[in-house]
């Protein structure tokens, strides 16, 4: 026994055993933390993407969301939003609001004929309840779809100095209960204190109006959460913060199991290879390892999962190499499934983006004429205001107003009035075909003249007036098709104009002057 212990083979065996144990342990630890780091990085990137998506959901509503938030802050303690609701309930809430609006303000359009502040209190409440259900549903679906710990929309900074660091939860994907009259509603307007030293990135996002670099980290009953905060900015004003939280340490147990399994099998293979004779190793193991190596190489070159069948056919016996081969075949199939899941996830994200783009397109499109609407005009003017601030603006605005629309509607009906609107729209778009045209009111159109149309504005205005004159005097057309319209043009002057609104007002004034001139000619 003493001679065996003194033998070189025994000493090599002891050295190899210690080296193997240390190597396996270190590689297993590195593998585990490497996968953990990769998972953490992926989750941090994903929550930023989710925050961007939720910011798009809220900001696409523009003034509608501002109206919702203002009324929510005023009446959150009295609003009764059902605790349990689904998509059908959201549609029911919307129908209740629209039905009451139509009954109280027939023929009027919110934001055009009547402002939100002019609505009755019960209508404001119905509107806010409907919008709250819609927005909250979107936040909850995002949390579930992307396996997040939490999603929220909050407003920071209380009006009272002593409560300066209070945070109000406007949209909270974890619904708290409130019981009124035996029914269950959502507890709204929950306000808590968020200290700056505990939520530094949250307050940085609020004070700067920009997405901060880094995350707030919390240890709570849900685990270790990483929180990202994205400011919601509408028309240059920061309204609140979109918060997205993820449990960064909630990793699938397969990470640990896979690391341990791979470490054990590699260790067994190393021990067997050293212990066995060369011939035995070659005959029973090296040939299999060589075949497995070729199969894996073939897979890495062509990514053809059919090599799995070949691997499994040659994995005869119950030795470690055969087990390893089966593990490799299993790993290849898992990789294939993982890649397939990634492709499906990418497709789902693309489909979501397409739907979001379609919603955005509908939001800026006029339903009657198909041209861009008032929301699109506001977005365009915001872009032009930026170029004005940079000193690079050169444009003009043409204001077009359809005459006698009310008379046509009252005398011949709204269908004929719509025909008159669309015919006027056609003439405007035909004449100013290289410029963006917007329908900003029932009978009002705005054209933003740039480039060649800007240079030829006088010719285009004359052409427009000629076409209007020919159309209104054409006896072959029906009365409502003989449209008459006034036009006014104003050119941006850097000496007097500080915004698009200044130019718009002069164009509007010029249009009304043209309307008076047309009336004088008729009289």
């Amino acid at each position: 026994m003493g001679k065996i212990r003194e033998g070189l083979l025994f000493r090599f065996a002891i050295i190899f055993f210690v080296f193997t144990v240390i190597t396996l342990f270190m590689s297993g630890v590195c593998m585990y933390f490497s996968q953990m780091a990769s998972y953490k990085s992926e989750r941090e990137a994903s929550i930023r993407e989710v925050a961007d998506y939720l910011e798009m959901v809220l900001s696409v509503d523009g003034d509608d969301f501002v109206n919702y938030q203002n009324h929510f802050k005023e009446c959150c303690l009295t609003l009764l939003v059902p605790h349990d609701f689904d998509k059908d309930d959201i549609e029911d809430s919307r129908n209740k609001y629209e039905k009451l609006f139509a009954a109280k303000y027939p023929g009027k359009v919110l934001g055009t004929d009547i402002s939100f502040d002019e609505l009755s209190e019960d209508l404001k409440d119905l509107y806010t309840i409907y919008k709250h259900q819609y927005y909250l549903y979107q936040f909850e679906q995002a949390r579930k779809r992307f396996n997040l710990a939490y999603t929220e929309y909050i407003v920071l900074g209380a009006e009272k100095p002593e409560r300066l660091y209070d945070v109000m939860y406007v949209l909270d994907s974890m619904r708290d209960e409130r019981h009124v009259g035996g029914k269950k509603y959502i507890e709204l307007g929950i306000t808590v204190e968020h200290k700056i030293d505990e939520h530094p990135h949250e307050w940085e996002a609020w004070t700067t109006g920009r997405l901060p670099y880094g995350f707030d980290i919390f240890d709570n009953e849900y685990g270790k959460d990483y929180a990202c905060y994205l400011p919601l900015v509408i028309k240059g004003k920061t309204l609140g913060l979109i918060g997205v939280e993820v449990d960064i340490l909630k990793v699938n147990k397969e990470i640990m199991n896979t690391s341990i399994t791979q470490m054990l099998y590699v260790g067994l293979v190393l021990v067997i290879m050293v212990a066995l004779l060369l011939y035995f190793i070659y005959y029973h193991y090296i040939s299999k390892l060589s075949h497995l190596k070729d199969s894996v190489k073939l897979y890495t070159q062509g990514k053809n999962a059919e090599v799995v069948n070949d691997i499994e056919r040659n994995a005869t016996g119950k030795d470690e190499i055969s087990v390893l081969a089966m593990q490799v075949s299993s790993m290849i199939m898992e990789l294939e499934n993982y890649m397939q899941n990634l492709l499906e996830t990418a497709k789902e994200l693309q489909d979501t983006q397409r739907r979001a783009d379609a919603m955005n397109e509908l939001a800026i499109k006029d339903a009657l004429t198909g041209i861009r609407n008032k929301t699109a005009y506001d977005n365009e003017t915001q872009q032009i205001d930026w170029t004005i601030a940079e000193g690079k603006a050169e444009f003009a605005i043409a204001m077009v107003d359809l005459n006698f629309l009310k008379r046509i509607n009252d005398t011949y009906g709204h269908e004929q009035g719509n025909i008159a609107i669309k015919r006027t729209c056609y003439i405007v778009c035909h004449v100013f075909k290289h410029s963006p045209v917007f329908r900003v009111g029932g009978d009002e159109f705005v054209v933003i003249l740039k480039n060649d149309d800007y240079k030829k504005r006088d010719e285009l205005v004359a052409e427009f007036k000629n076409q209007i004159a020919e159309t209104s005097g054409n006896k072959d057309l029906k009365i409502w098709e003989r449209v008459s319209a006034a036009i006014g043009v104003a050119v941006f002057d850097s000496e007097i104009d500080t915004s698009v609104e200044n130019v718009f007002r002069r164009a509007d004034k010029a249009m009304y002057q043209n309307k008076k001139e047309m009336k004088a000619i008729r009289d």
Side-chain angles (χ1 to χ4, degrees), residues 328-355:
V328 170
S329 69
S330 176
M331 182 180 68
I332 290 174
M333 293 306 299
E334 288 179 4
L335 285 173
E336 287 295 310
N337 294 333
Y338 180 70
M339 293 300 296
Q340 185 64 34
N341 290 335
L342 282 180
L343 292 174
E344 292 176 358
T345 301
K347 183 178 182 302
E348 290 178 0
L349 288 175
Q350 291 174 354
D351 292 341
T352 301
Q353 184 61 48
R354 282 194 291 269
R355 288 194 294 269

Side-chain angles (χ1 to χ4, degrees), residues 507-522:
D508 188 59
K509 184 176 180 180
M511 180 273 293
Y512 276 107
Q513 181 61 35
N514 181 234
K515 187 182 287 285
K516 291 179 180 179
E517 294 171 356
M518 296 174 71
K519 182 177 180 181
I521 294 174
R522 290 194 302 271

Side-chain angles (χ1 to χ4, degrees), residues 107 112-113 366 368-369 400-425 439-445 479-486 515 522:
T112 301
D113 305 309
D366 179 58
L368 177 62
T369 62
V400 178
D401 186 86
L402 171 62
N403 297 326
F404 314 119
L405 177 61
K406 185 176 185 306
R407 184 187 302 174
I408 294 173
N409 286 334
D410 294 344
T411 306
Y412 303 102
H414 285 275
E415 281 296 324
Q416 284 67 31
N418 289 341
I419 292 174
I421 292 172
K422 289 191 281 188
R423 177 169 286 275
T424 304
C425 179
R439 184 185 178 203
V440 298
D443 53 3
E444 294 178 335
F445 299 87
I479 293 177
W480 52 84
E481 294 177 336
R482 303 174 198 168
V483 294
S484 172
K515 187 182 287 285
R522 290 194 302 271

Side-chain angles (χ1 to χ4, degrees), residues 163-316:
R163 305 297 297 175
L164 182 61
Y165 299 109
D166 277 1
V167 172
M168 174 185 286
Y169 286 79
V170 179
L171 297 171
D172 187 345
S173 62
M174 297 294 186
R175 305 181 191 177
D176 289 313
E177 295 183 12
R178 171 190 179 192
H179 295 272
V180 178
K183 295 183 178 180
K184 188 166 62 174
Y185 299 95
I186 298 177
E187 182 72 26
L188 302 177
I190 296 176
T191 302
V192 296
E193 183 182 24
H194 280 191
K195 298 180 180 178
I196 294 180
D197 56 343
E198 296 176 356
H199 303 78
H201 294 89
E202 177 182 302
W203 284 100
E204 179 185 349
W206 175 253
T207 55
T208 64
R210 296 189 300 271
L211 176 67
Y213 180 80
F215 301 83
D216 285 342
I217 304 175
F218 309 106
D219 286 314
N220 51 40
E221 66 270 21
Y222 303 110
K224 190 171 185 178
D225 287 354
Y226 277 49
C228 167
Y229 297 98
L230 178 65
L232 176 64
V233 181
I234 296 179
K235 292 186 177 180
K237 181 179 180 181
T238 302
L239 300 181
L241 299 181
I242 296 168
V244 179
E245 297 183 18
V246 62
D247 185 357
I248 202 66
L249 297 182
K250 188 179 180 181
V251 184
N252 197 310
K253 292 182 180 179
E254 291 183 2
I255 294 178
M256 176 66 77
N257 294 337
T258 301
S259 300
I260 295 175
T261 302
Q262 291 178 351
M263 183 173 62
L264 290 176
Y265 280 115
V266 171
L268 288 174
V269 170
L270 289 174
V271 171
I272 292 173
M273 288 178 63
V274 172
L276 297 179
L277 298 173
L278 260 179
Y279 176 78
F280 186 81
I281 293 174
Y282 176 80
Y283 185 79
H284 289 280
Y285 301 107
I286 296 300
S287 61
K288 293 181 179 180
L289 284 173
S290 178
H291 182 271
L292 180 60
K293 180 197 70 173
D294 294 338
S295 298
V296 172
K297 182 178 180 181
L298 183 63
Y299 174 74
T300 59
Q301 291 175 345
K303 297 297 185 295
N304 186 356
E306 293 182 359
V307 299
V308 169
N309 298 327
D310 194 30
I311 292 174
E312 292 178 350
R313 280 197 305 270
N314 286 274
T316 57

Side-chain angles (χ1 to χ4, degrees), residues 363-379:
I364 63 173
K365 186 176 182 181
D366 179 58
L368 177 62
T369 62
I371 64 174
R372 285 175 275 188
N373 61 12
K374 180 64 165 58
T375 299
Y377 172 75
D378 292 338
N379 294 338

